[in-house]
Each structure stands twice: as C-alpha cells, then as structure tokens.
Amino acid sequence: MTQTQWRNVFGDNLADILRDKGMSQAQLARDSGLSVSRISDYINKFSTPTIFALINIAYALDMELSELADFDERIE
C-alpha cells in the first residue's frame, strides 16, 4: 500500500468513526490535543498522521490503534 492509499483509507475511517460516535472534529481535537485544522487535514486526506498523533487520536476515541488504522500491510 502506498502512503497516499493509506492516508485515504485512514481519512475515510476517521470520518466514519467520528460519525458513528456522534463526535465533531472540534471534540476530537480537544480530546486528542491536536488542532481542529490538523484533524481536518487527516479527514480530507491532506496530511499523514505521525505515530504520536495516532496514539492521541486512538486514546481520545477510546480505541485500539488497530481499530483506528490499517497496519496489515507495509506502507511504501
């Protein structure tokens, strides 16, 4: 999987999770310590999250990293 493909899957997955949890980007930003614009960048597939951002997002969503992001393939 390319980095672009992974970023696209992650952005769609994050948007779906927020919708399913009834959570806004602003709420996730506040709970994760990230900015609203950074969360928006992930959802709109403009930016790839760092491992630190992934951990903070997973913690804020009360999820395991494996539920949040696909780690089943090597990213090229």
Side-chain angles (χ1 to χ4, degrees), residues 7-44:
R7 184 174 46 239
N8 290 339
V9 169
F10 176 77
D12 289 340
N13 191 34
L14 184 56
D16 290 344
I17 291 166
L18 289 180
R19 185 178 53 253
D20 291 347
K21 290 184 172 277
M23 188 178 212
S24 69
Q25 291 182 30
Q27 287 172 300
L28 178 57
R30 183 180 57 248
D31 294 350
S32 66
L34 300 167
S35 68
V36 174
S37 64
R38 181 60 63 191
I39 299 298
S40 177
D41 284 348
Y42 298 150
I43 289 172
N44 291 303

PDB file of all heavy atoms in Angstrom, residues 7-44:
ATOM      1  N   ARG A   7      -3.208   6.995   3.610  1.00  0.00           N
ATOM      2  CA  ARG A   7      -3.785   8.265   4.062  1.00  0.00           C
ATOM      3  C   ARG A   7      -5.259   8.350   3.672  1.00  0.00           C
ATOM      4  O   ARG A   7      -6.084   8.806   4.459  1.00  0.00           O
ATOM      5  CB  ARG A   7      -2.991   9.432   3.472  1.00  0.00           C
ATOM      6  CG  ARG A   7      -3.455  10.777   3.966  1.00  0.00           C
ATOM      7  CD  ARG A   7      -2.577  11.921   3.492  1.00  0.00           C
ATOM      8  NE  ARG A   7      -2.252  11.872   2.083  1.00  0.00           N
ATOM      9  CZ  ARG A   7      -1.005  11.817   1.584  1.00  0.00           C
ATOM     10  NH1 ARG A   7       0.033  11.807   2.382  1.00  0.00           N
ATOM     11  NH2 ARG A   7      -0.808  11.779   0.292  1.00  0.00           N
ATOM     12  N   ASN A   8      -5.609   7.892   2.470  1.00  0.00           N
ATOM     13  CA  ASN A   8      -7.005   7.902   2.026  1.00  0.00           C
ATOM     14  C   ASN A   8      -7.869   6.973   2.877  1.00  0.00           C
ATOM     15  O   ASN A   8      -8.969   7.347   3.299  1.00  0.00           O
ATOM     16  CB  ASN A   8      -7.115   7.524   0.558  1.00  0.00           C
ATOM     17  CG  ASN A   8      -6.577   8.590  -0.370  1.00  0.00           C
ATOM     18  OD1 ASN A   8      -6.471   9.755  -0.006  1.00  0.00           O
ATOM     19  ND2 ASN A   8      -6.214   8.182  -1.569  1.00  0.00           N
ATOM     20  N   VAL A   9      -7.371   5.774   3.145  1.00  0.00           N
ATOM     21  CA  VAL A   9      -8.115   4.821   3.980  1.00  0.00           C
ATOM     22  C   VAL A   9      -8.276   5.373   5.392  1.00  0.00           C
ATOM     23  O   VAL A   9      -9.366   5.325   5.980  1.00  0.00           O
ATOM     24  CB  VAL A   9      -7.411   3.442   3.999  1.00  0.00           C
ATOM     25  CG1 VAL A   9      -8.009   2.523   5.055  1.00  0.00           C
ATOM     26  CG2 VAL A   9      -7.465   2.797   2.623  1.00  0.00           C
ATOM     27  N   PHE A  10      -7.192   5.927   5.943  1.00  0.00           N
ATOM     28  CA  PHE A  10      -7.253   6.473   7.292  1.00  0.00           C
ATOM     29  C   PHE A  10      -8.243   7.630   7.376  1.00  0.00           C
ATOM     30  O   PHE A  10      -9.043   7.696   8.303  1.00  0.00           O
ATOM     31  CB  PHE A  10      -5.867   6.945   7.762  1.00  0.00           C
ATOM     32  CG  PHE A  10      -5.911   7.591   9.107  1.00  0.00           C
ATOM     33  CD1 PHE A  10      -6.018   6.823  10.249  1.00  0.00           C
ATOM     34  CD2 PHE A  10      -5.882   8.970   9.238  1.00  0.00           C
ATOM     35  CE1 PHE A  10      -6.091   7.408  11.505  1.00  0.00           C
ATOM     36  CE2 PHE A  10      -5.951   9.580  10.481  1.00  0.00           C
ATOM     37  CZ  PHE A  10      -6.057   8.789  11.613  1.00  0.00           C
ATOM     38  N   GLY A  11      -8.190   8.543   6.424  1.00  0.00           N
ATOM     39  CA  GLY A  11      -9.102   9.693   6.432  1.00  0.00           C
ATOM     40  C   GLY A  11     -10.558   9.261   6.393  1.00  0.00           C
ATOM     41  O   GLY A  11     -11.394   9.778   7.144  1.00  0.00           O
ATOM     42  N   ASP A  12     -10.866   8.294   5.520  1.00  0.00           N
ATOM     43  CA  ASP A  12     -12.243   7.797   5.435  1.00  0.00           C
ATOM     44  C   ASP A  12     -12.645   7.093   6.726  1.00  0.00           C
ATOM     45  O   ASP A  12     -13.757   7.278   7.225  1.00  0.00           O
ATOM     46  CB  ASP A  12     -12.394   6.830   4.259  1.00  0.00           C
ATOM     47  CG  ASP A  12     -12.324   7.517   2.904  1.00  0.00           C
ATOM     48  OD1 ASP A  12     -12.532   8.750   2.836  1.00  0.00           O
ATOM     49  OD2 ASP A  12     -12.063   6.807   1.907  1.00  0.00           O
ATOM     50  N   ASN A  13     -11.724   6.297   7.273  1.00  0.00           N
ATOM     51  CA  ASN A  13     -12.004   5.570   8.508  1.00  0.00           C
ATOM     52  C   ASN A  13     -12.243   6.533   9.668  1.00  0.00           C
ATOM     53  O   ASN A  13     -13.187   6.357  10.451  1.00  0.00           O
ATOM     54  CB  ASN A  13     -10.847   4.622   8.827  1.00  0.00           C
ATOM     55  CG  ASN A  13     -11.172   3.641   9.928  1.00  0.00           C
ATOM     56  OD1 ASN A  13     -12.306   3.202  10.059  1.00  0.00           O
ATOM     57  ND2 ASN A  13     -10.169   3.283  10.705  1.00  0.00           N
ATOM     58  N   LEU A  14     -11.428   7.561   9.779  1.00  0.00           N
ATOM     59  CA  LEU A  14     -11.592   8.532  10.860  1.00  0.00           C
ATOM     60  C   LEU A  14     -12.922   9.267  10.733  1.00  0.00           C
ATOM     61  O   LEU A  14     -13.631   9.455  11.731  1.00  0.00           O
ATOM     62  CB  LEU A  14     -10.427   9.518  10.872  1.00  0.00           C
ATOM     63  CG  LEU A  14     -10.418  10.537  12.005  1.00  0.00           C
ATOM     64  CD1 LEU A  14     -10.454   9.854  13.379  1.00  0.00           C
ATOM     65  CD2 LEU A  14      -9.198  11.440  11.888  1.00  0.00           C
ATOM     66  N   ALA A  15     -13.290   9.648   9.530  1.00  0.00           N
ATOM     67  CA  ALA A  15     -14.576  10.322   9.314  1.00  0.00           C
ATOM     68  C   ALA A  15     -15.731   9.406   9.717  1.00  0.00           C
ATOM     69  O   ALA A  15     -16.694   9.845  10.371  1.00  0.00           O
ATOM     70  CB  ALA A  15     -14.714  10.749   7.859  1.00  0.00           C
ATOM     71  N   ASP A  16     -15.648   8.129   9.344  1.00  0.00           N
ATOM     72  CA  ASP A  16     -16.700   7.162   9.705  1.00  0.00           C
ATOM     73  C   ASP A  16     -16.794   6.982  11.214  1.00  0.00           C
ATOM     74  O   ASP A  16     -17.896   6.919  11.781  1.00  0.00           O
ATOM     75  CB  ASP A  16     -16.433   5.799   9.053  1.00  0.00           C
ATOM     76  CG  ASP A  16     -16.614   5.792   7.551  1.00  0.00           C
ATOM     77  OD1 ASP A  16     -17.243   6.739   7.010  1.00  0.00           O
ATOM     78  OD2 ASP A  16     -16.119   4.843   6.902  1.00  0.00           O
ATOM     79  N   ILE A  17     -15.657   6.886  11.876  1.00  0.00           N
ATOM     80  CA  ILE A  17     -15.641   6.707  13.325  1.00  0.00           C
ATOM     81  C   ILE A  17     -16.277   7.913  14.019  1.00  0.00           C
ATOM     82  O   ILE A  17     -17.099   7.752  14.928  1.00  0.00           O
ATOM     83  CB  ILE A  17     -14.204   6.461  13.833  1.00  0.00           C
ATOM     84  CG1 ILE A  17     -13.702   5.098  13.365  1.00  0.00           C
ATOM     85  CG2 ILE A  17     -14.134   6.584  15.348  1.00  0.00           C
ATOM     86  CD1 ILE A  17     -12.202   4.902  13.532  1.00  0.00           C
ATOM     87  N   LEU A  18     -15.898   9.110  13.598  1.00  0.00           N
ATOM     88  CA  LEU A  18     -16.486  10.311  14.207  1.00  0.00           C
ATOM     89  C   LEU A  18     -18.000  10.335  13.999  1.00  0.00           C
ATOM     90  O   LEU A  18     -18.741  10.650  14.930  1.00  0.00           O
ATOM     91  CB  LEU A  18     -15.853  11.575  13.633  1.00  0.00           C
ATOM     92  CG  LEU A  18     -14.410  11.857  14.036  1.00  0.00           C
ATOM     93  CD1 LEU A  18     -13.913  13.141  13.388  1.00  0.00           C
ATOM     94  CD2 LEU A  18     -14.271  11.939  15.542  1.00  0.00           C
ATOM     95  N   ARG A  19     -18.436   9.997  12.806  1.00  0.00           N
ATOM     96  CA  ARG A  19     -19.881   9.973  12.529  1.00  0.00           C
ATOM     97  C   ARG A  19     -20.577   8.930  13.415  1.00  0.00           C
ATOM     98  O   ARG A  19     -21.605   9.208  14.026  1.00  0.00           O
ATOM     99  CB  ARG A  19     -20.134   9.686  11.046  1.00  0.00           C
ATOM    100  CG  ARG A  19     -21.607   9.765  10.663  1.00  0.00           C
ATOM    101  CD  ARG A  19     -21.879   9.523   9.180  1.00  0.00           C
ATOM    102  NE  ARG A  19     -21.282   8.280   8.701  1.00  0.00           N
ATOM    103  CZ  ARG A  19     -20.201   8.204   7.917  1.00  0.00           C
ATOM    104  NH1 ARG A  19     -19.592   9.301   7.512  1.00  0.00           N
ATOM    105  NH2 ARG A  19     -19.732   7.038   7.539  1.00  0.00           N
ATOM    106  N   ASP A  20     -20.008   7.736  13.494  1.00  0.00           N
ATOM    107  CA  ASP A  20     -20.607   6.665  14.301  1.00  0.00           C
ATOM    108  C   ASP A  20     -20.664   7.029  15.783  1.00  0.00           C
ATOM    109  O   ASP A  20     -21.600   6.646  16.489  1.00  0.00           O
ATOM    110  CB  ASP A  20     -19.826   5.355  14.139  1.00  0.00           C
ATOM    111  CG  ASP A  20     -19.963   4.750  12.752  1.00  0.00           C
ATOM    112  OD1 ASP A  20     -20.853   5.198  11.977  1.00  0.00           O
ATOM    113  OD2 ASP A  20     -19.170   3.850  12.419  1.00  0.00           O
ATOM    114  N   LYS A  21     -19.672   7.759  16.257  1.00  0.00           N
ATOM    115  CA  LYS A  21     -19.632   8.153  17.668  1.00  0.00           C
ATOM    116  C   LYS A  21     -20.378   9.462  17.930  1.00  0.00           C
ATOM    117  O   LYS A  21     -20.498   9.883  19.077  1.00  0.00           O
ATOM    118  CB  LYS A  21     -18.183   8.291  18.146  1.00  0.00           C
ATOM    119  CG  LYS A  21     -17.448   6.964  18.254  1.00  0.00           C
ATOM    120  CD  LYS A  21     -16.053   7.172  18.819  1.00  0.00           C
ATOM    121  CE  LYS A  21     -15.392   5.849  19.115  1.00  0.00           C
ATOM    122  NZ  LYS A  21     -15.764   5.289  20.398  1.00  0.00           N
ATOM    123  N   GLY A  22     -20.854  10.105  16.865  1.00  0.00           N
ATOM    124  CA  GLY A  22     -21.536  11.386  17.027  1.00  0.00           C
ATOM    125  C   GLY A  22     -20.601  12.451  17.571  1.00  0.00           C
ATOM    126  O   GLY A  22     -21.013  13.319  18.345  1.00  0.00           O
ATOM    127  N   MET A  23     -19.363  12.393  17.149  1.00  0.00           N
ATOM    128  CA  MET A  23     -18.325  13.282  17.678  1.00  0.00           C
ATOM    129  C   MET A  23     -17.893  14.265  16.589  1.00  0.00           C
ATOM    130  O   MET A  23     -17.742  13.877  15.436  1.00  0.00           O
ATOM    131  CB  MET A  23     -17.132  12.431  18.126  1.00  0.00           C
ATOM    132  CG  MET A  23     -16.050  13.131  18.855  1.00  0.00           C
ATOM    133  SD  MET A  23     -14.788  11.910  19.335  1.00  0.00           S
ATOM    134  CE  MET A  23     -14.221  12.632  20.849  1.00  0.00           C
ATOM    135  N   SER A  24     -17.681  15.499  16.955  1.00  0.00           N
ATOM    136  CA  SER A  24     -17.241  16.504  15.986  1.00  0.00           C
ATOM    137  C   SER A  24     -15.718  16.520  15.901  1.00  0.00           C
ATOM    138  O   SER A  24     -15.014  16.017  16.783  1.00  0.00           O
ATOM    139  CB  SER A  24     -17.734  17.890  16.389  1.00  0.00           C
ATOM    140  OG  SER A  24     -17.061  18.327  17.555  1.00  0.00           O
ATOM    141  N   GLN A  25     -15.223  17.137  14.832  1.00  0.00           N
ATOM    142  CA  GLN A  25     -13.782  17.314  14.696  1.00  0.00           C
ATOM    143  C   GLN A  25     -13.244  18.164  15.847  1.00  0.00           C
ATOM    144  O   GLN A  25     -12.157  17.905  16.361  1.00  0.00           O
ATOM    145  CB  GLN A  25     -13.456  17.970  13.354  1.00  0.00           C
ATOM    146  CG  GLN A  25     -13.718  17.074  12.172  1.00  0.00           C
ATOM    147  CD  GLN A  25     -13.355  17.727  10.856  1.00  0.00           C
ATOM    148  OE1 GLN A  25     -12.451  18.559  10.786  1.00  0.00           O
ATOM    149  NE2 GLN A  25     -14.052  17.349   9.794  1.00  0.00           N
ATOM    150  N   ALA A  26     -14.012  19.151  16.260  1.00  0.00           N
ATOM    151  CA  ALA A  26     -13.585  20.014  17.369  1.00  0.00           C
ATOM    152  C   ALA A  26     -13.471  19.217  18.669  1.00  0.00           C
ATOM    153  O   ALA A  26     -12.531  19.427  19.446  1.00  0.00           O
ATOM    154  CB  ALA A  26     -14.560  21.172  17.538  1.00  0.00           C
ATOM    155  N   GLN A  27     -14.413  18.321  18.915  1.00  0.00           N
ATOM    156  CA  GLN A  27     -14.340  17.487  20.120  1.00  0.00           C
ATOM    157  C   GLN A  27     -13.104  16.595  20.084  1.00  0.00           C
ATOM    158  O   GLN A  27     -12.398  16.458  21.088  1.00  0.00           O
ATOM    159  CB  GLN A  27     -15.588  16.611  20.249  1.00  0.00           C
ATOM    160  CG  GLN A  27     -16.833  17.359  20.648  1.00  0.00           C
ATOM    161  CD  GLN A  27     -18.050  16.450  20.572  1.00  0.00           C
ATOM    162  OE1 GLN A  27     -18.380  15.922  19.510  1.00  0.00           O
ATOM    163  NE2 GLN A  27     -18.694  16.268  21.709  1.00  0.00           N
ATOM    164  N   LEU A  28     -12.856  15.979  18.924  1.00  0.00           N
ATOM    165  CA  LEU A  28     -11.690  15.115  18.805  1.00  0.00           C
ATOM    166  C   LEU A  28     -10.406  15.919  18.984  1.00  0.00           C
ATOM    167  O   LEU A  28      -9.480  15.468  19.665  1.00  0.00           O
ATOM    168  CB  LEU A  28     -11.676  14.388  17.454  1.00  0.00           C
ATOM    169  CG  LEU A  28     -10.469  13.491  17.210  1.00  0.00           C
ATOM    170  CD1 LEU A  28     -10.329  12.431  18.304  1.00  0.00           C
ATOM    171  CD2 LEU A  28     -10.551  12.852  15.832  1.00  0.00           C
ATOM    172  N   ALA A  29     -10.371  17.098  18.408  1.00  0.00           N
ATOM    173  CA  ALA A  29      -9.193  17.954  18.557  1.00  0.00           C
ATOM    174  C   ALA A  29      -8.943  18.262  20.028  1.00  0.00           C
ATOM    175  O   ALA A  29      -7.813  18.119  20.517  1.00  0.00           O
ATOM    176  CB  ALA A  29      -9.375  19.241  17.759  1.00  0.00           C
ATOM    177  N   ARG A  30      -9.972  18.656  20.733  1.00  0.00           N
ATOM    178  CA  ARG A  30      -9.834  18.985  22.151  1.00  0.00           C
ATOM    179  C   ARG A  30      -9.370  17.761  22.951  1.00  0.00           C
ATOM    180  O   ARG A  30      -8.454  17.852  23.766  1.00  0.00           O
ATOM    181  CB  ARG A  30     -11.168  19.506  22.692  1.00  0.00           C
ATOM    182  CG  ARG A  30     -11.115  19.944  24.148  1.00  0.00           C
ATOM    183  CD  ARG A  30     -12.455  20.449  24.666  1.00  0.00           C
ATOM    184  NE  ARG A  30     -13.498  19.448  24.527  1.00  0.00           N
ATOM    185  CZ  ARG A  30     -14.543  19.539  23.686  1.00  0.00           C
ATOM    186  NH1 ARG A  30     -14.698  20.586  22.915  1.00  0.00           N
ATOM    187  NH2 ARG A  30     -15.442  18.583  23.618  1.00  0.00           N
ATOM    188  N   ASP A  31      -9.990  16.607  22.699  1.00  0.00           N
ATOM    189  CA  ASP A  31      -9.683  15.406  23.473  1.00  0.00           C
ATOM    190  C   ASP A  31      -8.318  14.799  23.133  1.00  0.00           C
ATOM    191  O   ASP A  31      -7.726  14.111  23.965  1.00  0.00           O
ATOM    192  CB  ASP A  31     -10.767  14.353  23.273  1.00  0.00           C
ATOM    193  CG  ASP A  31     -12.113  14.766  23.852  1.00  0.00           C
ATOM    194  OD1 ASP A  31     -12.178  15.788  24.588  1.00  0.00           O
ATOM    195  OD2 ASP A  31     -13.112  14.083  23.561  1.00  0.00           O
ATOM    196  N   SER A  32      -7.843  15.056  21.923  1.00  0.00           N
ATOM    197  CA  SER A  32      -6.571  14.464  21.497  1.00  0.00           C
ATOM    198  C   SER A  32      -5.394  15.416  21.653  1.00  0.00           C
ATOM    199  O   SER A  32      -4.236  15.001  21.532  1.00  0.00           O
ATOM    200  CB  SER A  32      -6.659  14.031  20.030  1.00  0.00           C
ATOM    201  OG  SER A  32      -6.798  15.158  19.178  1.00  0.00           O
ATOM    202  N   GLY A  33      -5.675  16.704  21.892  1.00  0.00           N
ATOM    203  CA  GLY A  33      -4.606  17.681  22.000  1.00  0.00           C
ATOM    204  C   GLY A  33      -4.083  18.161  20.650  1.00  0.00           C
ATOM    205  O   GLY A  33      -3.059  18.824  20.579  1.00  0.00           O
ATOM    206  N   LEU A  34      -4.782  17.806  19.591  1.00  0.00           N
ATOM    207  CA  LEU A  34      -4.412  18.245  18.250  1.00  0.00           C
ATOM    208  C   LEU A  34      -5.294  19.419  17.849  1.00  0.00           C
ATOM    209  O   LEU A  34      -6.327  19.659  18.456  1.00  0.00           O
ATOM    210  CB  LEU A  34      -4.577  17.092  17.250  1.00  0.00           C
ATOM    211  CG  LEU A  34      -3.735  15.851  17.541  1.00  0.00           C
ATOM    212  CD1 LEU A  34      -4.200  14.684  16.691  1.00  0.00           C
ATOM    213  CD2 LEU A  34      -2.265  16.145  17.293  1.00  0.00           C
ATOM    214  N   SER A  35      -4.903  20.124  16.815  1.00  0.00           N
ATOM    215  CA  SER A  35      -5.714  21.246  16.353  1.00  0.00           C
ATOM    216  C   SER A  35      -6.860  20.756  15.463  1.00  0.00           C
ATOM    217  O   SER A  35      -6.782  19.667  14.875  1.00  0.00           O
ATOM    218  CB  SER A  35      -4.861  22.242  15.567  1.00  0.00           C
ATOM    219  OG  SER A  35      -4.433  21.662  14.346  1.00  0.00           O
ATOM    220  N   VAL A  36      -7.906  21.554  15.389  1.00  0.00           N
ATOM    221  CA  VAL A  36      -9.033  21.232  14.510  1.00  0.00           C
ATOM    222  C   VAL A  36      -8.545  21.158  13.064  1.00  0.00           C
ATOM    223  O   VAL A  36      -8.951  20.267  12.311  1.00  0.00           O
ATOM    224  CB  VAL A  36     -10.176  22.262  14.651  1.00  0.00           C
ATOM    225  CG1 VAL A  36     -11.276  21.999  13.645  1.00  0.00           C
ATOM    226  CG2 VAL A  36     -10.731  22.259  16.068  1.00  0.00           C
ATOM    227  N   SER A  37      -7.657  22.058  12.688  1.00  0.00           N
ATOM    228  CA  SER A  37      -7.168  22.036  11.306  1.00  0.00           C
ATOM    229  C   SER A  37      -6.375  20.769  11.014  1.00  0.00           C
ATOM    230  O   SER A  37      -6.436  20.234   9.904  1.00  0.00           O
ATOM    231  CB  SER A  37      -6.334  23.284  10.994  1.00  0.00           C
ATOM    232  OG  SER A  37      -5.175  23.329  11.782  1.00  0.00           O
ATOM    233  N   ARG A  38      -5.652  20.255  12.000  1.00  0.00           N
ATOM    234  CA  ARG A  38      -4.904  19.007  11.803  1.00  0.00           C
ATOM    235  C   ARG A  38      -5.870  17.839  11.624  1.00  0.00           C
ATOM    236  O   ARG A  38      -5.697  17.017  10.722  1.00  0.00           O
ATOM    237  CB  ARG A  38      -3.963  18.763  12.987  1.00  0.00           C
ATOM    238  CG  ARG A  38      -3.132  17.521  12.879  1.00  0.00           C
ATOM    239  CD  ARG A  38      -2.230  17.488  11.687  1.00  0.00           C
ATOM    240  NE  ARG A  38      -1.265  18.558  11.763  1.00  0.00           N
ATOM    241  CZ  ARG A  38      -0.473  18.905  10.752  1.00  0.00           C
ATOM    242  NH1 ARG A  38      -0.520  18.265   9.619  1.00  0.00           N
ATOM    243  NH2 ARG A  38       0.371  19.894  10.873  1.00  0.00           N
ATOM    244  N   ILE A  39      -6.907  17.763  12.452  1.00  0.00           N
ATOM    245  CA  ILE A  39      -7.916  16.707  12.309  1.00  0.00           C
ATOM    246  C   ILE A  39      -8.567  16.810  10.934  1.00  0.00           C
ATOM    247  O   ILE A  39      -8.750  15.804  10.237  1.00  0.00           O
ATOM    248  CB  ILE A  39      -8.971  16.799  13.434  1.00  0.00           C
ATOM    249  CG1 ILE A  39      -8.334  16.627  14.819  1.00  0.00           C
ATOM    250  CG2 ILE A  39     -10.100  15.796  13.206  1.00  0.00           C
ATOM    251  CD1 ILE A  39      -7.663  15.303  15.073  1.00  0.00           C
ATOM    252  N   SER A  40      -8.902  18.018  10.531  1.00  0.00           N
ATOM    253  CA  SER A  40      -9.500  18.241   9.217  1.00  0.00           C
ATOM    254  C   SER A  40      -8.557  17.780   8.104  1.00  0.00           C
ATOM    255  O   SER A  40      -8.993  17.164   7.120  1.00  0.00           O
ATOM    256  CB  SER A  40      -9.846  19.717   9.042  1.00  0.00           C
ATOM    257  OG  SER A  40     -10.354  19.955   7.752  1.00  0.00           O
ATOM    258  N   ASP A  41      -7.273  18.067   8.250  1.00  0.00           N
ATOM    259  CA  ASP A  41      -6.292  17.624   7.251  1.00  0.00           C
ATOM    260  C   ASP A  41      -6.274  16.109   7.116  1.00  0.00           C
ATOM    261  O   ASP A  41      -6.138  15.574   6.011  1.00  0.00           O
ATOM    262  CB  ASP A  41      -4.887  18.108   7.609  1.00  0.00           C
ATOM    263  CG  ASP A  41      -4.663  19.575   7.318  1.00  0.00           C
ATOM    264  OD1 ASP A  41      -5.505  20.195   6.636  1.00  0.00           O
ATOM    265  OD2 ASP A  41      -3.627  20.108   7.783  1.00  0.00           O
ATOM    266  N   TYR A  42      -6.401  15.398   8.236  1.00  0.00           N
ATOM    267  CA  TYR A  42      -6.422  13.935   8.180  1.00  0.00           C
ATOM    268  C   TYR A  42      -7.681  13.443   7.476  1.00  0.00           C
ATOM    269  O   TYR A  42      -7.616  12.565   6.614  1.00  0.00           O
ATOM    270  CB  TYR A  42      -6.356  13.327   9.584  1.00  0.00           C
ATOM    271  CG  TYR A  42      -5.104  13.649  10.355  1.00  0.00           C
ATOM    272  CD1 TYR A  42      -5.133  13.724  11.737  1.00  0.00           C
ATOM    273  CD2 TYR A  42      -3.887  13.887   9.718  1.00  0.00           C
ATOM    274  CE1 TYR A  42      -3.993  14.018  12.466  1.00  0.00           C
ATOM    275  CE2 TYR A  42      -2.743  14.190  10.443  1.00  0.00           C
ATOM    276  CZ  TYR A  42      -2.804  14.250  11.810  1.00  0.00           C
ATOM    277  OH  TYR A  42      -1.677  14.546  12.536  1.00  0.00           O
ATOM    278  N   ILE A  43      -8.816  13.988   7.840  1.00  0.00           N
ATOM    279  CA  ILE A  43     -10.095  13.556   7.258  1.00  0.00           C
ATOM    280  C   ILE A  43     -10.161  13.887   5.768  1.00  0.00           C
ATOM    281  O   ILE A  43     -10.689  13.102   4.976  1.00  0.00           O
ATOM    282  CB  ILE A  43     -11.271  14.172   8.034  1.00  0.00           C
ATOM    283  CG1 ILE A  43     -11.354  13.505   9.413  1.00  0.00           C
ATOM    284  CG2 ILE A  43     -12.586  14.014   7.275  1.00  0.00           C
ATOM    285  CD1 ILE A  43     -12.344  14.121  10.363  1.00  0.00           C
ATOM    286  N   ASN A  44      -9.601  15.027   5.399  1.00  0.00           N
ATOM    287  CA  ASN A  44      -9.627  15.446   3.994  1.00  0.00           C
ATOM    288  C   ASN A  44      -8.421  14.934   3.206  1.00  0.00           C
ATOM    289  O   ASN A  44      -8.236  15.306   2.057  1.00  0.00           O
ATOM    290  CB  ASN A  44      -9.733  16.968   3.905  1.00  0.00           C
ATOM    291  CG  ASN A  44     -11.085  17.427   4.370  1.00  0.00           C
ATOM    292  OD1 ASN A  44     -12.109  17.010   3.841  1.00  0.00           O
ATOM    293  ND2 ASN A  44     -11.116  18.271   5.382  1.00  0.00           N
TER     294      ASN A  44
END
